[in-house]
Amino acid sequence: MTELIDLRSKTLEEIEAIVIELGEKKFRGKQLFNWVHKGTEKFNDMNNIPKNFKKKLEEVSILKNMDILEVLRSKIDGTRKYLMILNDNNVIESVLMKYKHGNTICVSTQVGCKMGCGFCASTVDGVVRNLRAGEILGQVLAVQNDIGERISNVVLMGSGEPLDNYDEVLKFLSIINHPLGLNISMRNITLSTCGIVPKIIDLAEKKLQITLAISLHASNDEIRNKFMPINKVYNINEILEACKKYIKNTNRRITFEYALIKGVNDKTEHALELAKKLKDILCHVNLIPLNEVNESAFETSKESNIKEFKKILDGERIHVTVRRELGSDIDAACGQLRKNYLKREHEQ
Ligand code: SAH
């Protein structure tokens, strides 16, 4: 049996080609694309598409490419953590965050991750497979359908390394940005990477207006090498050089993520060292209290240390904020929902 076409993974041009291939007029492509991006899950709901064409579509393609398996809802701030099951039974996580400026979704880009960061639960069992563009988009559509509200911002910060699934991530960006699709502006999209330098440079050359976030988490290579294996391939200096290129080409401010780990990267000397490295770069530092996970022994820094670290960066005139903790009453750290699910499945 040939594989069914995942319509959510297709650009408008590809959908038009499919429509023509099925013997229909090209304009049906726009109609179909529009339905796909409304999050429509049944061909029957497409009331401007002829019945016999809907039947043909149903034979060769799918709309819905995941189901919501579990939702944890925060009573404090409306955060929702989703466990989604894909058509091949793999599971992924997505998180909805409610901000004053709109609904933001954090999406996964891979099933698992192979980057091996020492503090992260998503990478413990390695990577299973890349997500298709339509499966990254499917998370947005599934959550929009669930909450009945529009999502205005997307962060590629869930499980997986987006630049390790580069082609599908780029395709996702172009599809979600399409005026006949969800039409989410590139400026409302953040891509977070552990620092795959050649891909950052390639991205810089594409001159997209997305926000680039770098998971830096250390002020020098010796520390970064301890918990981020990728640093042995691309070190901090190389990352910062690539970032400068990105800024030069796009004029966009870069975000550096810095998870504070007790006794490892949270001392005064580290803050000063970090400030020195970033002083000529158009950037913003996002300090993150480490989310402690069962799989690792790293502990989160004391609140007083976090405050002190911020104060030093402030004093050095580095733009810095501390990430507000959302959904603290549904305390499932990144990657934990999936891990718990896999554990349950395994025990059955
Ligand atoms: N692979 C990409 C995106 C996914 S991880 C990247 O590395 O950026 C998203 C962010 O969460 C990264 O900054 C990552 O370092 C951070 N992260 C992972 N586990 C964490 C934990 N236990 N506590 C705090 N931040 C964590």
Side-chain angles (χ1 to χ4, degrees), residues 314-342:
D314 275 332
E316 298 293 319
R317 300 189 172 279
I318 301 283
H319 205 286
V320 56
T321 47
V322 178
R323 184 178 290 173
R324 193 161 56 95
E325 194 188 1
L326 288 173
S328 54
D329 56 330
I330 44 168
D331 191 25
C334 338
Q336 292 273 283
L337 275 186
R338 174 168 176 265
K339 284 226 55 123
N340 293 344
Y341 172 81
L342 293 178

Side-chain angles (χ1 to χ4, degrees), residues 156-191:
L156 293 111
M157 269 191 204
S159 296
E161 168 49 51
L163 299 187
D164 186 42
N165 183 16
Y166 192 58
D167 293 343
E168 290 301 305
V169 163
L170 279 185
K171 193 172 188 192
F172 160 76
L173 293 175
S174 87
I175 293 175
I176 199 166
N177 181 236
H178 197 285
L180 291 178
L182 289 181
N183 198 12
I184 297 184
S185 146
M186 289 286 182
R187 286 174 171 261
N188 289 357
I189 300 174
T190 298
L191 184 152

Side-chain angles (χ1 to χ4, degrees), residues 251-289:
N251 247 322
R252 301 285 292 159
R253 186 173 79 168
I254 294 209
T255 299
F256 289 104
E257 295 159 280
Y258 196 106
L260 287 154
I261 312 176
K262 192 178 185 175
V264 177
N265 64 0
D266 63 347
K267 302 192 180 116
T268 303
E269 68 208 62
H270 302 138
L272 289 169
E273 190 174 36
L274 181 68
K276 204 168 156 195
K277 286 214 165 78
L278 301 185
K279 85 174 171 352
D280 294 327
I281 301 180
L282 177 67
C283 71
H284 169 258
V285 174
N286 200 199
L287 296 176
I288 308 164

Side-chain angles (χ1 to χ4, degrees), residues 17-236:
I18 292 166
V19 164
I20 291 167
E21 174 97 353
L22 293 174
E24 285 291 327
K25 295 247 168 61
K26 189 177 168 192
F27 79 92
R28 296 272 177 222
K30 281 203 175 97
Q31 291 179 326
L32 180 56
F33 188 81
N34 203 253
W35 283 114
V36 169
H37 294 278
K38 274 189 181 148
T40 309
E41 295 184 341
K42 293 194 193 90
F43 289 102
N44 246 340
D45 294 342
M46 302 181 173
N47 58 22
N48 58 358
I49 306 258
K51 236 189 186 146
N52 58 345
F53 182 41
K54 285 195 271 205
K55 212 160 161 252
K56 268 194 234 168
L57 281 170
E58 201 152 13
E59 282 163 15
V60 298
S61 65
I62 54 160
L63 288 163
K64 192 175 178 184
N65 54 8
M66 65 189 64
D67 278 299
I68 295 172
L69 205 59
E70 203 177 311
V71 190
L72 299 180
R73 294 182 180 81
S74 164
K75 291 191 178 70
I76 304 172
D77 51 36
T79 299
R80 294 188 188 190
K81 296 189 178 175
Y82 290 87
L83 189 66
M84 313 279 196
I85 184 156
L86 305 172
N87 289 351
D88 67 356
N89 288 334
N90 273 305
V91 297
I92 54 169
E93 290 178 33
S94 325
V95 183
L96 170 80
M97 292 158 289
K98 298 209 145 206
Y99 293 111
K100 279 196 202 79
H101 62 265
N103 293 321
T104 297
I105 185 172
C106 173
V107 293
S108 294
T109 54
Q110 296 179 311
V111 180
C113 182
K114 68 170 186 229
M115 293 300 138
C117 298
F119 46 76
C120 178
S122 300
T123 195
V124 176
D125 298 320
V127 70
V128 178
R129 70 169 175 88
N130 283 332
L131 295 186
R132 295 188 300 273
E135 290 171 319
I136 308 174
L137 182 81
Q139 299 168 61
V140 185
L141 296 175
V143 172
Q144 274 195 170
N145 284 344
D146 184 55
I147 61 174
E149 289 172 27
R150 182 172 181 267
I151 287 171
S152 54
N153 294 66
V154 178
V155 298
L156 293 111
M157 269 191 204
S159 296
E161 168 49 51
L163 299 187
D164 186 42
N165 183 16
Y166 192 58
D167 293 343
E168 290 301 305
V169 163
L170 279 185
K171 193 172 188 192
F172 160 76
L173 293 175
S174 87
I175 293 175
I176 199 166
N177 181 236
H178 197 285
L180 291 178
L182 289 181
N183 198 12
I184 297 184
S185 146
M186 289 286 182
R187 286 174 171 261
N188 289 357
I189 300 174
T190 298
L191 184 152
S192 177
T193 176
C194 61
I196 318 271
V197 166
K199 295 288 191 274
I200 297 174
I201 293 172
D202 197 274
L203 207 54
E205 280 157 11
K206 297 226 155 35
K207 297 189 164 70
L208 302 178
Q209 285 293 300
I210 57 170
T211 300
L212 184 64
I214 305 283
S215 301
L216 197 62
H217 305 321
S219 57
N220 63 51
D221 288 324
E222 200 192 329
I223 298 177
R224 201 166 191 263
N225 283 343
K226 280 190 197 154
F227 47 75
M228 293 187 73
I230 190 70
N231 200 62
K232 292 182 181 144
V233 187
Y234 309 110
N235 64 26
I236 295 182

